[in-house]
Structure formats: C-alpha cells, structure tokens
Amino acid sequence: MFKFKKSLLFILTSLTLVLLLSGCTKKQPEPISKEGLFLGTFCKITIYDEASRDILEKAFDRIEKIENKMTINKSNSEIINVNSKAGLDYVKVSPDTFYVIKQAKHYSEISSGKFDVSIGPIVKLWNIGTDKARVPSAKEIEDKIPFVDYKNILLNEKENKVMLKKKGMIIDLGAIAKGYAGDEVERVLKENGVEHAIINLGGNILTLGSKPDNKNWRLGVQNPFDSRGQHLGTIEVSDKSVVTSGIYERYIEKDGKRYHHILSPQNGYPVDNSLASVSIISDKSIDGDALSTTTFALGLEDGLKLIDSMENVEAIFVTKDYDIYITPGLKNNFKITNEKFKLKN
Ligand code: ADP
Ligand code: MG
C-alpha cells in the first residue's frame, strides 16, 4: 500500500512537473517580415525569432546600399563609373563592389568565359526583363561581341581599383549581385542576434539557421516551365542558399520564339542547350548565384562536372525534356512532387 502510494505520488509529481514544464515552454513568436522591390526584383525577409522590426529595416538598408553601388539601371553607381571610364582609367570602388567584381571574374575564368561579367553590351542590346526588351539584329550583336571579354577587366587589389581595357566595355553584375546581397543580409541578421530566418531575393533563397523547431526548412524547387512559385520538387536544408537560374523568369517572345535572359558571350544570343534550369545549393549565395548562371551556360555535362569538382555545393539540373539530374549529396534529400518530371540519375 505504502509502495503504491509512493509510486502514485511519484507519478503525480512527475505529471505536474511535465504540465508545468509544458506550461513554461515559450510559445513560438509570430514571424515578422518585410517586403520590397530592390535589385530589380521582389525581396522578402522573414524572421522567426523574437525580434525588433529595426533589424528588418537594417537588412533592407543593406540591400539598397548594395543596389546603389552595383546597378547599371540607374543614373549613377560605382559600376556605372567603372563602365564610363572604360578604355580610359582605373576607378576606385568600395570593398563591396571590388569583391563582387573579383568573384565574378573568377567564375568567368573557371567557365572559360561561358559566364562573363563583361556581357553588359549584349545585355543592353536585348534589355530582357525591362520594357525596352527587343530582339536585336545579327549585325548589332556582331558589333558588340568584341567588347565582351572578362580578360580585359583589370583589377588593382591594393587600391580597390578597376579598369576596363576597351572603350565600350560594360560590366553587368546581374548574375551575381543578388547572391552577394543575400549573404550580406544574412550577416546583418546574425549580427543582430537572429537565429532563424528566410531571405528571399527574387527567388534566390537563403535559409538562416534551421526552422525554429530545429528541423530543416522544406523548400520548393522552382518548376522552370511555370511561373515563379510553382514547384517541381522539394529539398530540406538548414543554413543554405538555394538559387535557380532558368528559362522561366525573364524572357521575351517574338514570332512564336522565346528568348530568355542568359546570353552566350560567344554568339550574343540566349544560351541554347538541353537545360531549362539549374538550382544550386551552397553555403554562400554569391557562389550559388554565380554558379546557377555559370552551369546553365555550361550545359548539363560540363555543368555537372564543375559542381562535382566543388565541395559543399549541390545542384539540380532540369532539362527541356523534364529530365532531372542531381548531384550525389542530394540523393536522400530531393523529392519530385510533380510527376511530369523524371529523375535520371
Ligand atoms: P536572375 O538574376 O534572373 O535570377 P541569373 O542570376 O541567372 O538570373 O542572372 C541573369 C542575368 O545575368 C542577366 O539578366 C544578365 O544581366 C546577366 N547575364 C546574362 N548572361 C550572362 C552570362 N553569360 N554571364 C554573366 N552574366 C550574364
Ligand atoms: Mg545568377
């Protein structure tokens, strides 16, 4: 009897303790978020911790600063300064801009110019993604090709100075600046104590930490045949950048033909290979952004080879035939949710 009472007492106290503890467990705070149009696209930051809205303001200030330094679509910026001194002089830029140009040049080098950050003259002819978009003539394209060559970007590391060797050259950071902005937003959030957040810069996603319940975030992988937000599958990640480049987002149509915005520096026309999109999963978003464009331009075989040679980078290649190729690190992670697509490796 005594024994029974004792164990009953034990059960009761444990039960109260459990109830008390669960009563004490902090409720998950409501996420806070902010949206805005920056870097030519829709941006949204969502913080899942107890946090002040000031942090969101700081994060958007950082995006705006980066845009103002690196854009070629406003009346002035550091990159516009560099471009306007092409063939004439070195221009001093901020460490931000120097770093992004240097990274962009690196990706131009490792892709032997399939990615080329000096593609500006060709981008300006097509203007895809703006209201001035058009299909230029073959002659116009031919005339601009000689101005595209990353080897003619001269960097002075000591003084953060950049010079374009030929007059008429134009640097365009459109394939990489959003990635850098994502990394910088992540840094600002972390410095302000944020542990769980989602940064979405025009479809470039950066997950900061895990979900508040310590599980991975489940992200949708963009379906390249559909508008943004339509998924072909899912992956689970924490603390990763997920960036997709493809034919789905910015394009124009003329005479029944679609022209998308990733252009060949060699022939000046939209890259035409078997690929519809590439998604890159990496630690830093600057790498993911550069690599999604780079591997798209390289094509399936060379793109896969490049990613296989890199550590901590995974990729999902989607072809125009709805075939999907993934890197080994995604084998037990990536799941197809749209049955039109078939995993081929
Ligand atoms: P998005 O910015 O739409 O997410 P990307 O990151 O793939 O897509 O970048 C595409 C942009 O990069 C183009 O709009 C253009 O400014 C630039 N670009 C186009 N072709 C190339 C290329 N071969 N190498 C480097 N940059 C490119
Ligand atoms: Mg890119």
Side-chain angles (χ1 to χ4, degrees), residues 114-116 172 174-175 178 245 249-250 261-263 289 293:
K114 295 276 180 175
F115 180 99
D116 193 322
D172 172 2
K178 257 191 285 166
S245 279
E249 194 156 66
R250 295 174 200 248
H261 74 319
I262 301 172
L263 304 164
D289 200 359
T293 313

Side-chain angles (χ1 to χ4, degrees), residues 227-242:
S227 55
R228 189 189 293 166
Q230 300 302 310
H231 304 145
L232 58 80
T234 59
I235 50 165
E236 291 198 16
V237 291
S238 291
D239 255 326
K240 292 282 177 193
S241 154
V242 182

Side-chain angles (χ1 to χ4, degrees), residues 72 79 83 104-105 108 111 113-127 141 144-153 164 168-176 260-271 293 297:
I72 53 169
I79 292 294
N83 291 338
K105 197 178 169 188
S108 308
S111 66
K114 295 276 180 175
F115 180 99
D116 193 322
V117 66
S118 68
I119 191 126
I122 302 290
V123 173
K124 290 271 178 199
L125 277 184
W126 289 85
N127 269 314
I141 290 174
K144 293 293 182 195
I145 292 284
F147 298 99
V148 181
D149 188 354
Y150 64 92
K151 295 190 197 99
N152 290 331
I153 303 171
L164 307 180
M169 283 181 74
I170 300 174
I171 284 183
D172 172 2
L173 297 179
I176 191 167
H260 65 80
H261 74 319
I262 301 172
L263 304 164
S264 158
Q266 284 70 42
N267 67 22
Y269 284 87
V271 167
T293 313

